[in-house]
Amino acid sequence: MTQPPAGEDLGEAVARLYVDTDPVPARLLQAASAGLAWRDPDAALAALLLDSAVAGAPAGVRAGPGPDGDADDPRLLSFDSGGTVIDVEVVVDGGRVRLVGQVSHPVEAPVRVRHSGGEWTGTTDRLGRFSVPDLPVGPLRIWWGPAGPETTQVGTATFLT
């Protein structure tokens, strides 16, 4: 075994050897970097801009409590994630949830909705719209990200139905 250069300890020499002979794949480095964001999970989540169930819907918006105050009326949610706004209408009907949403970027992009029974996957249309017809009541997480292998911007919104 060769001696490490003067002023360098054995650990640094071994680390340099691995970097030179067997570098870490780029996709693994990306995954590890993304995982670091979850040290503070709230930092990675989209910011809630509007919840019609709490603040009431602005004038001219059809969501909000109806004349009878029915809890099953549509609920509007708006989230902001790095300048991308995700608007979602949540309708609870017969113990099932229907989502209709739009992302402020008018492009086709993958959308995932995680729920207690699994995950729904789809894409937005060319106007940034999506619809999910049949989900269980409970916590939901919407993930949106532009298509492409080098995606860095991702929006995640989490809420209870």
Side-chain angles (χ1 to χ4, degrees), residues 100-111 120 122-131 144:
V100 177
Q102 184 166 10
V103 179
S104 63
H105 293 289
V107 297
E108 293 181 18
V111 177
W120 174 90
T123 58
T124 59
D125 66 12
R126 62 184 179 83
L127 298 176
R129 300 174 299 192
F130 63 95
S131 179
W144 171 84

Side-chain angles (χ1 to χ4, degrees), residues 69-123:
D70 190 2
D72 288 343
D73 286 342
R75 176 180 174 192
L76 280 183
L77 298 165
S78 288
F79 299 92
D80 177 55
S81 177
T84 299
V85 176
I86 302 170
D87 293 316
V88 181
E89 181 180 67
V90 182
V91 178
V92 179
D93 184 22
R96 301 302 287 176
V97 176
R98 179 174 48 91
L99 299 179
V100 177
Q102 184 166 10
V103 179
S104 63
H105 293 289
V107 297
E108 293 181 18
V111 177
R112 289 192 326 234
V113 178
R114 290 188 182 162
H115 52 85
S116 60
E119 182 174 278
W120 174 90
T121 59
T123 58

Side-chain angles (χ1 to χ4, degrees), residues 9 18-19 31 50 80 83 90 129 146 161:
D9 71 359
Y18 278 114
V19 168
L50 169 75
D80 177 55
V90 182
R129 300 174 299 192
T161 56

Side-chain angles (χ1 to χ4, degrees), residues 23-35:
V24 177
R27 64 179 172 70
L28 187 58
L29 287 174
Q30 271 186 320
S33 294

Side-chain angles (χ1 to χ4, degrees), residues 13-24:
V14 170
R16 195 179 74 243
L17 175 71
Y18 278 114
V19 168
D20 293 341
T21 60
D22 188 20
V24 177

